[in-house]
Amino acid sequence: MNSVKKIMIPVNECLTPNQTLNDAIKFMKKTKWNTVPVTDITGKLIGVFTRSALYQMLLLGLGQTTPIANYIKEGIGTVTLDTTFEELEEIIAISEVGTGIVIDDFDKPIGLITTSSAVLSFLHSTRSLKGQLETILHTSNLGALMTDERGKIIFVNDKLTNMLKQPLERLMLKDLQQLIPNMESSSLKKEVHFRMNIDSDYFVVRLSYYNMPNGKKGYIALFQNVSELENMAQELQMVKKWKSILQTVIENAYDGLVMINENGEIIFISPSLIELFELDDKTIEQMPVNDILPHLELTPTLKTGVADISDFMEIKGINYMVQRIPVYQDDQIIGVIGKIVYRQLHEVRERFRRYEDIEKKMQISSRKTETSRFTFKEILSQDPQMEKLMRSGIKAAKGRTTILIRGESGTGKELFAHAIHSSSSSGQGPFITVNCAAIPEHLLESEFFGYEEGAFTGAKQKGKMGKFDLANGGTLFLDEVGDMSLQLQAKLLRVLQEREFYRVGGTERIEVNVRIIAATNRPLEEMVESGEFREDLFYRLNVISFEIPPLRKRKKDILLLSEAFIQELNKQNGTSIIGWDPVVQQAMMDYDWPGNIRELRNVWERAMVFSENGYVRLVDLPDYLLKKVGYDLLIEEEETGNPEQSLLEKAEQIAIQKALIKSNGNKSQACKLLGISRSVLYDKLKKYETIEVN
């Protein structure tokens, strides 16, 4: 916007020559203007009617109906919107009416510039320039002072008072020669530089003249603390030292490294690779990698931005692998690192084979005898209710009583059942699991009780043992027991009562010593009322009942479980995740987790696969989760908003948005939710432009 437009008073109406003294008095009273533009019938400026002219007409005793035509002052100075501040200063200085009239291209008045508004604007500009100058001096780490023509100090910046360890009032109006005793003003032509000592501190001083408004000259002295320069030199030396150390580490810590920039040009290659691929180290840097090492295939990673690892390759009979790692800066790929591994690769491969063989053997041996895999120590929780449940579970494990575990899907009912079995006296015995919802209904009976030879078409010749047989002396875990048919419920009830059963197609009564632990996420009481579940079986199963709380009711466990999942999934998937952004943590805590712990683990597995820099970011979380908690707005802001906004500010902004949503826009209620005052909330709303503030 033009500087003249900033300070002018807009003019929407004017006087005309045929208007009367009474009209002028009313107009000037209404506008409070001392000078009023006067225009002809076409609206062009012909002069001004001033307060002095009004007084003159009144002193002459003229009637209020007298036209003002003879008292209009013509030939006054005018300005346009293009007039500079320098030109405006000259016009107002010589103006007889003390006011500048702003006209457009058609000589029509559009504004007034009074002396006072111009002066205030000039003062504001002067203060602004003074502030900018002081900021420049402060950020440059220079102490500065100025003197008048007599050498008396009239300005000192804060940096110099800190340097000299003297208060401002002690330095002001002090003679410069008292501060710089060896200064010889007569020998100062334009500027000089010299070193000096003040109170055991050493400074480099730059002394020069400047022209004062009265035509005389004063001094400007700039001080630089030499010790700061020496510190900078030491830091530079340290940087060089660390560069040498890093170079040595890179050359020795890895088998080989090659780095390329965003243009696919080699910017670094370790000596070991130069030897391996028989390259000329004098001409290789800044050359396209595809011309020198095309078989490494590094440039596709510039496009995909995804780290990967090659298959085994060979050179001179040596097997090697290439790990391609994209390098990011502010979400932009600026290069790729190729890490080549070839030393002791054969030994590493052999050791992995031996490790895999051992794991396979362990898995095979564990399949022969199914038993529990978890204990109460492996149930991670900081929730008081869960801790109480685990204490009760340890007590319940000591007996042989039937246990019913209830809870939403994904809360860890099976894990709890494993832990109860492990804590029981038969903890070394079998732990057999039957998912009642996964086995077809016509096979459920044979799965539970087994069958004799020839019991039905397709039956094995020697028959088959059922789950009750396999669980003898241990625990049978009935998962999703609410999905069992009524026919099978009746047979299960008999086993629970009599501790005996008949195989399908058999006549021999088989006795078993089995503890039943059942689990369900269905409302069994309602199913009993509707006839979908036997009442007598319900009471037989519901001897000891545990209700596992959903994850949304034990928020403290979210981060605890997340840390455990990161460790587990890093081993399982070969990822290298070490943490998450604070905004990710807040999103996790705000989400309701309808799928509970199972969903939490799945979300972490997905996020860790998508993460690229060792930390899980908001963009790595599933879209459905972000939309549910309202964090998808932050993703849009990361892509289109201010890249310099800190994570803390982003978290603060989303907290304000969520508080306003929860309070339906009620700012007082939002303040209570956020724990801040109303004035602070308004400041934050203006800062982030969350909503329009009335």
Side-chain angles (χ1 to χ4, degrees), residues 425-465:
S425 58
S426 57
Q428 300 303 315
F431 180 88
I432 306 300
T433 300
V434 179
N435 190 327
C436 301
I439 302 174
E441 186 175 338
H442 66 281
L443 295 179
L444 266 175
E445 188 174 355
S446 62
E447 281 291 320
F448 270 112
F449 308 117
Y451 55 83
E452 297 290 353
E453 180 181 349
F456 51 84
T457 304
K460 292 181 179 180
Q461 289 183 358
K462 295 182 180 180
K464 180 184 175 182
M465 295 177 65

Side-chain angles (χ1 to χ4, degrees), residues 15 18-29 64 68:
L15 292 173
N18 59 350
Q19 286 187 279
T20 64
L21 174 61
N22 185 52
D23 294 333
I25 291 171
K26 291 180 179 179
F27 189 92
M28 295 177 83
K29 181 180 179 183
Q64 291 192 5
I68 63 171

Side-chain angles (χ1 to χ4, degrees), residues 340-383:
I340 289 80
V341 181
Y342 62 91
R343 291 172 182 152
Q344 289 86 40
L345 198 58
H346 176 72
E347 289 86 346
V348 172
R349 186 164 48 180
E350 286 300 317
R351 291 193 182 188
F352 266 113
R353 280 179 183 170
R354 288 203 298 270
Y355 176 73
E356 288 174 352
D357 288 342
I358 292 170
E359 278 212 327
K360 286 178 182 177
K361 289 177 182 177
M362 290 176 64
Q363 289 173 2
I364 291 170
S365 63
S366 66
R367 286 191 197 119
K368 290 179 181 177
T369 305
E370 292 184 50
T371 185
S372 58
R373 303 187 302 275
F374 308 104
T375 67
F376 280 111
K377 291 181 180 179
E378 293 167 274
I379 299 178
L380 303 177
S381 180
Q382 295 175 332
D383 181 71

Side-chain angles (χ1 to χ4, degrees), residues 19 87 147 217 239 243 314 371 387 399 413 475 541 600 650 658 670:
Q19 286 187 279
E87 294 170 336
T147 74
K217 294 181 181 293
V239 169
K243 182 183 177 184
E314 183 181 326
T371 185
E387 291 174 352
K413 297 187 293 295
T475 300
L541 293 175
L600 178 65
K650 290 176 182 177
K658 291 178 73 63

Side-chain angles (χ1 to χ4, degrees), residues 80 113 236 240 269 314 344 376 430 439-440 555 590 656 666:
T80 66
I113 298 177
L236 181 60
K240 291 180 179 178
I269 186 168
E314 183 181 326
Q344 289 86 40
F376 280 111
I439 302 174
K555 293 278 188 177
D590 287 346
I656 291 171
N666 186 309

Side-chain angles (χ1 to χ4, degrees), residues 161-176:
T161 61
N162 293 332
M163 282 181 172
L164 302 181
K165 302 179 183 65
Q166 295 187 37
L168 179 64
E169 56 270 15
R170 187 174 174 184
L171 293 172
M172 290 298 288
L173 297 179
K174 190 175 185 177
D175 197 310
L176 183 60

